[in-house]
Amino acid sequence: MKYYLTTPIYYVNAAPHIGHAYTTIVADLYKRFKTMQGYHAVLTTGSDEHGVNVERSAERAGKSTLEFTDAVSAEFQRQWQMLGLQIDHFQRTTSPQHARVVNDLFKRCRENGYVYKGSYTGQYCIFDNLYVNDAKPGDPCPDCGRPTETITEENFFFKLSAFQDDLLKLYEREPDFIQPETRRNEVISFVKGGLTDLSVTRSNIKWGIPVDGEAPHVFYVWFDALSTYMSAVAGEKVDGEDLWPADLHLIGKEIVRFHAIYWPAFLMAAGLPLPKRIFAHGWLMFENDKMSKSRGNIVRSEPIQKVMGADALRYFLLREVVFGQDGSFSYDALIGRYNSDLANGLGNLASRTLTMINQYREGVIPAGGEGGAIAPLAAQTIQTAQTAYDKFEFSKCLETIWGLISAVDKFIVERAPWKLARSSEADAPAQLDDTLYTAAEALRVVTALLYPVLPESTRKIWSQLGMPEPIESVRFESLAWGGLQAGQKIGEIAGVFPRIDDPKKAIDKMRELEAEVTAAQLVLMGKKPEPVVEGPAKIAIDDFLKVDLRVGLVLTAQPVKKSDKLMHLTVDLGEGTPRTIVAGIAEAYGPADLIGRKVVIVANLQPRKLKGIESNGMIVAASVNDGKPVLAAFLEDIPVGARLK
Ligand code: MSP
């Protein structure tokens, strides 16, 4: 039976970082897990190479667009190789076969009456490739906060509005179509709010897939990008079964709308089968902020892979972050987890078990008994782990497996094989055999269960156990207790997770490599390392005096719905009536941090609407490299309404 899964295809205007690696690692894990369940699993990832934004990045890099996308796309492929990921298809949106599939999808939608010609004037965010409804020129993009651009053009429109009922029925009929539940609820309420038709072609840009027979139209990037999931496996069958539809689209939470609304609507319109499930995970943060190019807080995989190995990164991401929720990365936490769970936990169990078999039984697995309390615990762990993997509960899965590791550790201490080896009691040799067999068999079960998460290290432990078949061929159904053959000769023992005794040294090394990788990626992107920014042009004092800066007191604060960034504030400026101000600070400050706080406000800005709320002023904050805003504040007490000069 086939199992087809995908990651998003990544934009080539940023070099890969561990945020991209996160989704791709999980996809690789899930593929291995499904293979262990007996499926023929196929994984697609790729690169999203069209759009104005990419065109502009190439221009800035002084390269032709294709030259630029070739280079960045190759860098993504290199990353996945470096991390040892099992990718079956790396699909580029610039491939000719992909263009055919996109045109075919469009043709089907059109023939079925869901496409019409119209014209669009409005705001567009070139970074998120998002049409922003109800926005005025200069308004920020609701997703990334960058200014939107006004575009006017003749377009082909897709009748998204016709699919409201069918989509709602789909979510009802297939409760697992969008997971986790929070994302499902968001999508349902968005769709219930009504859908407007969507422009799916662009006539004033060149860098896109041409619409057959409709020059100068090219496809809107999301119509193009989503089709990758199909084009990568067009016509491909496994055991006589078509690979399409996908069984799983793994994505980050910011692109749920495109996947859970647009994509099934396009497919319904075309009369094609729908994907079975979309799972949207949370964001990987670094120092409490989403890792991203614009925030300048990026961590790359390569330094971690070089210093600690790819499995250390995989383990950390899957154990530390609850899949589906946001999680934080830090080098300290990475090393902490590695030392406590991998070096001291799994690594220690493997080396002590195998060393004892060498020492007391000349490297041959002895015949054992029933394994006491360990055997039923192992059986239960196999069940729980399989269910947890299945439900994307990776952290819980690992916790369960570590429960078994601790139980075996305890069992070894209680049985004290080192005493049994010296004992002259008649049943001591049999007890020692039983102890060693139980420990080794538990190690076999643990190693097999961990293969999806730790493919490289479990392969090593597997061969040290002397297992005859490769770990890749292990299936859940053959995992039951007793599978380890007595008489099997173990392999050569070598430490799998050497302890990191000097975390500072390891972190320094990773930071040093990080700087090198960053510099290499800047070259790849055709950018020079950030120049020292010269200050903006000098202004006369009169110009400065035009800005009315006032001290305000925040009276109320609440996050703006459907926006990660915006906070709706009422601020007392000593004018009698408090003002409404909408500020892009919600990712850095919660309501409790703001209420009762004195802030600096630009009081004489023209009002403007953000997310439908009129903002009468702007809050003053500092930010480094476009990073998290930090509010301006005073050390001394200062009356409300005071002017800053
Ligand atoms: N090209 C679109 C996707 C098209 S899919 C048909 C796109 N590309 S992207 O390069 O911006 O990648 C977004 C995806 O990368 C996220 O959905 C997520 O899978 C992954 N991540 C990028 N940064 C991330 C974090 N900081 N944290 C977690 N995942 C991150 O959107």
Side-chain angles (χ1 to χ4, degrees):
M1 263 227 299
K2 67 97 184 177
Y3 191 90
Y4 176 43
L5 75 165
T6 65
T7 74
I9 52 162
Y10 303 108
Y11 286 133
V12 291
N13 54 316
H17 56 69
I18 63 167
H20 306 114
Y22 182 45
T23 320
T24 322
I25 284 174
V26 172
D28 171 272
L29 168 163
Y30 215 73
K31 174 183 164 171
R32 292 175 198 263
F33 160 66
K34 281 289 161 188
T35 309
M36 275 183 79
Q37 284 192 319
Y39 288 90
H40 182 136
V42 175
L43 167 59
T44 285
T45 186
S47 46
D48 196 349
E49 304 186 17
H50 290 125
V52 196
N53 203 17
V54 173
E55 204 174 10
R56 289 191 190 165
S57 295
E59 237 168 64
R60 269 197 299 272
K63 293 185 182 168
S64 78
T65 323
L66 197 56
E67 217 183 341
F68 176 78
T69 59
D70 278 351
V72 185
S73 162
E75 174 61 11
F76 271 94
Q77 298 187 50
R78 192 185 70 80
Q79 290 279 320
W80 308 148
Q81 246 170 10
M82 181 254 318
L83 291 171
L85 307 184
Q86 291 187 338
I87 310 288
D88 298 286
H89 296 283
F90 186 98
Q91 179 73 330
R92 300 182 56 184
T93 53
T94 44
S95 89
Q97 172 236 10
H98 171 70
R100 279 194 294 278
V101 171
V102 178
N103 267 295
D104 181 58
L105 179 70
F106 180 74
K107 206 167 131 233
R108 283 165 170 268
C109 294
R110 198 173 182 182
E111 280 167 2
N112 292 341
Y114 293 108
V115 166
Y116 62 93
K117 224 175 208 177
S119 95
Y120 174 84
T121 297
Q123 298 307 113
Y124 186 78
C125 172
I126 62 157
F127 292 94
D128 293 321
N129 293 306
L130 187 73
Y131 294 95
V132 186
N133 296 328
D134 308 325
K136 287 199 307 298
D139 275 0
C141 163
D143 277 6
C144 71
R146 295 180 178 97
T148 51
E149 296 188 10
T150 309
I151 58 168
T152 296
E153 57 180 355
E154 186 192 59
N155 284 335
F156 282 100
F157 279 81
F158 175 78
K159 277 193 197 166
L160 188 62
S161 55
F163 290 91
Q164 183 174 8
D165 285 349
D166 287 341
L167 285 167
L168 290 171
K169 275 188 212 142
L170 166 71
Y171 309 144
E172 184 74 22
R173 195 175 63 235
E174 312 276 347
D176 286 345
F177 181 71
I178 316 159
Q179 283 184 290
E181 193 67 19
T182 43
R183 304 288 158 231
R184 176 173 187 265
N185 294 339
E186 269 168 32
V187 169
I188 291 177
S189 72
F190 187 88
V191 174
K192 280 189 174 155
L195 296 172
T196 44
D197 292 350
L198 179 74
S199 145
V200 287
T201 70
R202 310 281 310 271
S203 51
N204 61 3
I205 71 160
K206 289 191 192 66
W207 184 241
I209 296 178
V211 181
D212 283 350
E214 294 289 353
H217 287 269
V218 299
F219 286 103
Y220 165 52
V221 280
W222 276 98
F223 194 87
D224 162 353
L226 289 159
S227 310
T228 308
Y229 300 141
M230 272 194 325
S231 71
V233 295
E236 198 174 319
K237 288 180 192 288
V238 157
D239 309 326
E241 199 183 355
D242 280 330
L243 269 183
W244 188 258
D247 295 275
L248 173 67
H249 291 317
L250 277 172
I251 58 170
K253 66 180 182 184
E254 77 291 356
I255 52 176
V256 170
R257 212 186 301 165
F258 301 101
H259 283 79
I261 301 173
Y262 295 2
W263 183 223
F266 296 158
L267 292 166
M268 283 175 187
L272 292 168
L274 308 184
K276 302 265 170 45
R277 179 181 295 192
I278 296 160
F279 194 105
H281 62 69
W283 283 343
L284 206 55
M285 325 281 264
F286 187 67
E287 287 158 5
N288 295 325
D289 212 345
K290 186 190 175 211
M291 218 175 273
S292 75
K293 195 177 59 154
S294 58
R295 293 179 178 86
N297 63 347
I298 287 174
V299 174
R300 273 99 180 156
S301 316
E302 201 162 358
I304 302 171
Q305 186 268 340
K306 283 198 169 132
V307 175
M308 299 179 64
D311 280 3
L313 174 62
R314 293 171 74 105
Y315 181 74
F316 175 82
L317 293 176
L318 292 154
R319 176 66 183 85
E320 191 84 4
V321 183
V322 175
F323 197 63
Q325 297 176 15
D326 290 348
S328 263
F329 175 87
S330 85
Y331 287 115
D332 284 328
L334 170 71
I335 294 186
R337 276 278 170 207
Y338 173 90
N339 274 342
S340 71
D341 298 4
L342 296 178
N344 295 352
L346 176 62
N348 188 39
L349 175 68
S351 72
R352 98 201 274 209
T353 303
L354 296 168
T355 306
M356 287 191 300
I357 291 173
N358 244 357
Q359 227 175 332
Y360 307 134
R361 292 295 178 259
E362 282 154 358
V364 176
I365 310 265
E370 300 303 305
I374 296 297
L377 181 64
Q380 197 194 327
T381 308
I382 295 170
Q383 274 303 322
T384 321
Q386 192 174 179
T387 312
Y389 273 132
D390 206 40
K391 290 161 71 181
F392 303 91
E393 293 173 346
F394 306 123
S395 185
K396 185 172 153 203
C397 175
L398 292 170
E399 214 178 305
T400 311
I401 299 173
W402 255 260
L404 179 58
I405 294 179
S406 312
V408 181
D409 274 340
K410 211 163 136 227
F411 166 83
I412 295 176
V413 172
E414 278 166 10
R415 288 278 186 106
W418 42 93
K419 283 191 194 151
L420 290 172
R422 286 197 311 267
S423 161
S424 50
E425 298 282 324
D427 67 343
Q431 275 221 32
L432 180 57
D433 280 354
D434 188 59
T435 308
L436 295 178
Y437 182 86
T438 302
E441 173 58 339
L443 178 64
R444 181 189 70 96
V445 170
V446 161
T447 306
L449 288 179
L450 286 173
Y451 164 70
V453 178
L454 303 171
E456 202 181 311
S457 345
T458 52
R459 196 174 294 129
K460 290 184 193 159
I461 301 176
W462 200 248
S463 84
Q464 293 185 28
L465 259 171
M467 299 306 298
E469 79 278 22
I471 194 161
E472 288 78 5
S473 62
V474 174
R475 300 289 172 265
F476 274 103
E477 55 184 24
S478 60
L479 252 191
W481 189 264
L484 183 64
Q485 295 303 313
Q488 178 170 303
K489 181 97 181 76
I490 66 169
E492 198 175 315
I493 308 172
V496 180
F497 302 109
R499 226 192 112 77
I500 297 182
D501 289 319
D502 188 347
K504 184 175 174 309
K505 196 168 145 209
I507 294 175
D508 287 348
K509 182 75 200 156
M510 286 190 277
R511 288 199 193 276
E512 191 186 303
L513 290 170
E514 177 70 38
E516 278 173 27
V517 174
T518 306
Q521 289 191 340
L522 283 174
V523 172
L524 171 81
M525 305 302 290
K527 290 183 193 155
K528 299 190 183 57
E530 295 283 298
V532 182
V533 185
E534 289 188 14
K538 303 255 186 309
I539 57 164
I541 183 80
D542 291 352
D543 288 331
F544 172 69
L545 289 176
K546 284 184 200 153
V547 184
D548 186 16
L549 292 168
R550 299 274 172 180
V551 174
L553 174 70
V554 180
L555 302 177
T556 66
Q558 63 190 91
V560 173
K561 281 191 193 124
K562 291 194 188 158
S563 165
D564 295 328
K565 288 186 178 296
L566 298 178
M567 186 70 80
H568 181 170
L569 308 165
T570 47
V571 182
D572 180 5
L573 290 182
E575 301 166 317
T577 315
R579 295 201 190 190
T580 298
I581 291 175
V582 181
I585 54 172
E587 285 181 323
Y589 296 91
D593 308 321
L594 294 164
I595 296 168
R597 178 170 177 147
K598 297 226 173 106
V599 289
V600 178
I601 299 292
V602 183
N604 61 339
L605 272 186
Q606 283 179 357
R608 64 172 189 165
K609 261 197 177 159
L610 292 165
K611 287 269 172 195
I613 309 166
E614 186 174 281
S615 181
N616 287 286
M618 193 177 81
I619 205 156
V620 176
S623 76
V624 179
N625 289 339
D626 287 340
K628 193 166 83 168
V630 178
L631 290 175
F634 298 93
L635 293 174
E636 290 85 5
D637 197 22
I638 180 95
V640 163
R643 178 150 193 216
L644 281 81
K645 290 187 275 198

